[in-house]
Amino acid sequence: MTLLITVFAAIICTVIWYIKAPKSKMKLGSLCLMYWGASLMWLVDALFEYSELHSEYFTPAPMDMLNDSYLGLSVVALGLIIWLVIVLIKDPKGVVKATLFKKVTTEGEA
Amino acid sequence: MACFIVPAAEAVITSIATKVVKSKEDVPETLKVQFDNEKTEVVEKVPFSRKLGWLNNLLWGGSALLAFEHVWHGEVVPWFPFLTAAENAADTAEMLNEMSTVGVTMAILVTAIWLGMVGVTAAIERKTLKAGKYRIREEE
């Protein structure tokens, strides 16, 4: 479930990135790559687990599934938080700078 | 157990490599391309350091989210030795085995996907330049 939720997050992000690119400055590409990176790593984890459990892998206990879903959603939230921090630090639109430094006069103005 | 450490270690190496490549790179190469519809555009080629940045994002992002999963499962703790598997020899051996199998496969797969991305983008660049009638100028 964690893998599935992360893959869906990666797909949704990629679609949004494609719609907004190349003009968007919101660093959506970083968020996409973060989710894709995690998805690929969990895919490897899933393949190794499948090689041990075989068909049992597809019939997890309901409590395990619930825990994995909760984990998947938390991972998506954490990814969004990391992305938000990156956006606020890099400040591609200059919003944070504009908030911190209020313009008084422009050079050349009286 | 600690499989995320392998891609995280690769991320450290590729981040350093990105800094080195970026410091050696000149101004991005720009090309003036005239397309069949007579439209002329100045395009900037994606520098290799930016392509390495994609790999960094894949590796750092994936490792960070996987590290969170390990915290969730109680395999990573905020006190020494930070990995619960490092507390006894049997678990340490199992952890090292997992790192050498699952962890290495993760790093290889992510790198292979990145190589695929670089290959596809290089092909798109070539195709785009071919679509233009001629290259008028190539700056350093």
Side-chain angles (χ1 to χ4, degrees):
Chain A
M1 276 306 270
T2 312
L3 168 64
L4 207 59
I5 290 170
T6 317
V7 167
F8 275 115
I11 292 168
I12 292 166
C13 276
T14 309
V15 170
I16 297 171
W17 168 81
Y18 189 84
I19 293 167
K20 301 278 182 187
K23 285 177 187 168
S24 176
K25 291 178 178 175
M26 290 302 287
K27 302 261 171 212
L28 275 169
S30 301
L31 183 64
C32 292
L33 290 170
M34 200 191 311
Y35 285 146
W36 280 120
S39 301
L40 288 169
M41 290 179 195
W42 270 312
L43 175 71
V44 172
D45 217 21
L47 290 173
F48 272 89
E49 215 175 313
Y50 176 77
S51 70
E52 280 175 21
L53 302 172
H54 301 288
S55 58
E56 260 181 65
Y57 175 78
F58 298 106
T59 50
M63 274 310 284
D64 288 345
M65 224 164 94
L66 187 68
N67 187 265
D68 275 358
S69 308
Y70 192 26
L71 171 62
L73 291 173
S74 305
V75 160
V76 172
L78 179 68
L80 286 169
I81 290 168
I82 294 171
W83 169 71
L84 208 58
V85 171
I86 292 170
V87 169
L88 290 176
I89 289 173
K90 294 205 171 174
D91 193 19
K93 287 189 166 184
V95 176
V96 176
K97 281 191 198 94
T99 312
L100 291 173
F101 303 100
K102 202 175 175 186
K103 192 174 86 174
V104 183
T105 52
T106 309
E107 206 174 310
E109 270 182 14
Chain B
M1 280 183 160
C3 48
F4 69 95
I5 291 175
V6 180
E10 188 190 343
V12 171
I13 296 164
T14 56
S15 297
I16 295 166
T18 308
K19 293 269 179 203
V20 172
V21 170
K22 204 172 184 179
S23 68
K24 287 181 179 175
E25 262 172 0
D26 298 320
V27 183
E29 193 182 0
T30 55
L31 302 165
K32 211 171 185 181
V33 183
Q34 190 174 28
F35 292 88
D36 289 338
N37 58 4
E38 300 300 320
K39 199 177 163 190
T40 305
E41 281 181 13
V42 176
V43 291
E44 194 176 272
K45 281 178 88 175
V46 177
F48 186 66
S49 61
R50 204 171 140 201
K51 289 178 182 174
L52 267 172
W54 302 340
L55 180 61
N56 292 338
N57 279 336
L58 281 168
L59 289 167
W60 278 122
S63 303
L65 298 183
L66 251 77
F68 175 71
E69 187 224 328
H70 286 72
V71 172
W72 184 280
H73 288 135
E75 291 165 347
V76 174
V77 286
W79 53 84
F80 190 79
F82 307 110
L83 300 163
T84 47
E87 284 167 0
N88 66 71
D91 285 348
T92 306
E94 199 185 327
M95 177 185 76
L96 291 173
N97 179 52
E98 198 194 86
M99 282 168 72
S100 62
T101 52
V102 183
V104 170
T105 313
M106 281 174 178
I108 290 171
L109 180 69
V110 171
T111 312
I113 295 287
W114 172 74
L115 284 172
M117 284 167 68
V118 171
V120 168
T121 49
I124 293 170
E125 280 171 357
R126 270 198 306 273
K127 201 177 162 191
T128 308
L129 290 173
K130 239 182 182 177
K133 273 184 179 170
Y134 48 84
R135 281 158 58 154
I136 297 170
R137 133 183 96 94
E138 194 167 320
E139 288 172 358
E140 65 283 339

